Amino acid sequence: MDKEKERVVILGGGIVGASIAYFMTLKGAKNVTVLERSKIAASAGGKGGGFLAGGWGDGSVTQELHRRSFQLHEELAETLGIESYRKIQTLSVSPSGGSNVASWLDGTASSRLMDPSTAQMMQAAQDQGATVQIGTAAGLEWKGDSDQVAGVRLESGEVLDCDQVVVAMGIWSVLLEDWVQMPVPMEGVKSTSLVYQNVEEATAEPYALFCGENYKYSTHLEVYPRASGEIYICGCGGSDYVSGARLRKGGDCEMPEQISSDPKRVQAASQAFRCICDAVIQSGDSCGRVIQSVDSCGRVLQSGDSCGRVLQSGDSCGRVVQSGDSCGRSGDSCGRVIQSGDSCGRVIQSGDSCGRGVHIAAGHNCWGILWAPITGLAMAELILDGKSSVDLRAFSPARYMKRKGARGRSNVNQSVGEQW
């Protein structure tokens, strides 16, 4: 394969798409186009909290993804100058009284020690020659009657000619089912998140918190302090599972901009957080911290992004409350994330099971940001070198294909007509 002449179209401008574009261009590809219908990092890639954990997949088929991608994040942070990357300790927090490691946990709580940004990645890919185009993919074009992909057809009628196409659209990767005869059994998880700004206490003493169940508010909070002074909170409860027609044309989750936060879960989560951290949320204080509501348009089961999740919406404590329009438009921070994954929680990634030159990289569940770099590397190697250094056998889309008969006709590797 001539890397400089191979035409590659990547569908999706989230962290996975950005990572694939980055590693493709790093390996010498000169004709790479990223097609994004909304904006870069419109969904999980821009709404995720960004939590990374290298050893949390040990003993499972995702162990290599966890460990190698965790290391890649550190290398990319240095290479690309990603200032948001840092290593902090993690606490397990119980919503009951007791001693605390973190001084800013001054409510009813006890804690104990537990064991790159999408835009920058995409910009680095562009600096290396990749192109970003805004548009909506409507289907694939084929070379004659063969199963070799020839292009991506846009809603506008334009066709982007290509030799390889990578579907990295997060939960919206299920649209591939409409283009080829292959099931993509994923569903999205739409969840409310919160973001508090200008939290000096957590900035000076940063800990990631994994909180026990709060039965009063039906929450299981995860709290991530950021180097920017923000605190991101997820685990707000009341998640909505999204699939099928809801993700397609006319559905309430057709576009990232349509995803909105649940005001009841915003209220419940802010009250639950107040129970363990009264210093950060004080009723009636006017210190100017902003609580924004994020809609979580984006965990792609999770097709997510580079490190974690986000939080935003309002509490009732008198700070400035911005719920934006809670629909994920450019510039607002409305924050639910839709995460995608297949029905058994594994990544779907690899190629050629749905047509020659057609690849899918989706279904990352809550680890979309963590696994993005290793996914980008693996897909770049698979497409340009013919073989990946990552063992992808457990994630092959072929596991969802119907077994073929011994003889018969096929269309894009799917048995059709009479089999005998």
Side-chain angles (χ1 to χ4, degrees), residues 42 69 79 83 86 104 193 210 232 267 277 285 287 291 315 355 374 404:
S69 210
T79 301
E83 296 181 357
R86 62 176 178 171
W104 49 276
S193 308
F210 286 80
Y232 166 89
Q267 178 75 5
C277 188
D285 102 25
C287 66
I291 301 174
D315 69 0
I374 194 63
K404 296 181 185 177

Side-chain angles (χ1 to χ4, degrees), residues 139-192:
L140 301 178
E141 297 289 321
W142 307 94
K143 289 186 178 179
D145 295 329
S146 74
D147 62 355
Q148 171 63 51
V149 71
V152 176
R153 185 175 66 258
L154 278 59
E155 280 190 348
S156 64
E158 179 186 358
V159 174
L160 295 179
D161 295 331
C162 66
D163 305 298
Q164 309 278 345
V165 61
V166 184
V167 179
M169 303 186 297
I171 184 54
W172 293 279
S173 297
V174 298
L175 297 179
L176 183 61
E177 291 181 326
D178 303 340
W179 306 339
V180 301
Q181 294 186 9
M182 187 194 82
V184 183
M186 297 197 304
E187 64 179 2
V189 183
K190 184 172 70 169
S191 308
T192 296

Side-chain angles (χ1 to χ4, degrees), residues 49 114 178 192 196 243 245 270 292 337 388 411:
M114 294 174 67
D178 303 340
T192 296
Y196 291 84
S243 61
S270 61
Q292 301 175 313
V337 178
S388 173
N411 179 20

Side-chain angles (χ1 to χ4, degrees), residues 209-269:
L209 312 180
F210 286 80
C211 305
E213 186 91 19
N214 187 312
Y215 295 101
K216 180 178 180 180
Y217 297 110
S218 299
T219 62
H220 205 292
L221 300 183
E222 296 178 20
V223 181
Y224 306 137
R226 294 170 167 168
S228 62
E230 295 176 336
I231 286 184
Y232 166 89
I233 299 176
C234 59
C236 303
S239 295
D240 181 16
Y241 293 85
V242 182
S243 61
R246 296 181 65 186
L247 295 164
R248 289 170 167 81
K249 201 154 193 72
D252 65 314
C253 296
E254 176 190 355
M255 297 285 289
E257 290 84 354
Q258 293 176 271
I259 312 303
S260 59
S261 56
D262 182 342
K264 292 182 180 179
R265 299 322 305 164
V266 169
Q267 178 75 5

Side-chain angles (χ1 to χ4, degrees), residues 101-105 200-207 225:
V101 176
S103 63
W104 49 276
L105 291 178
E200 296 176 3
E201 300 91 334
T203 301
E205 194 182 5
Y207 291 98

Side-chain angles (χ1 to χ4, degrees), residues 46-76:
K47 302 285 176 75
F51 179 76
L52 308 175
W56 287 24
D58 286 1
S60 73
V61 294
T62 64
Q63 177 173 323
E64 184 180 13
L65 302 183
H66 268 77
R67 291 203 167 272
R68 288 188 61 183
S69 210
F70 186 81
Q71 181 60 39
L72 281 172
H73 270 285
E74 184 168 10
E75 294 170 7
L76 287 167

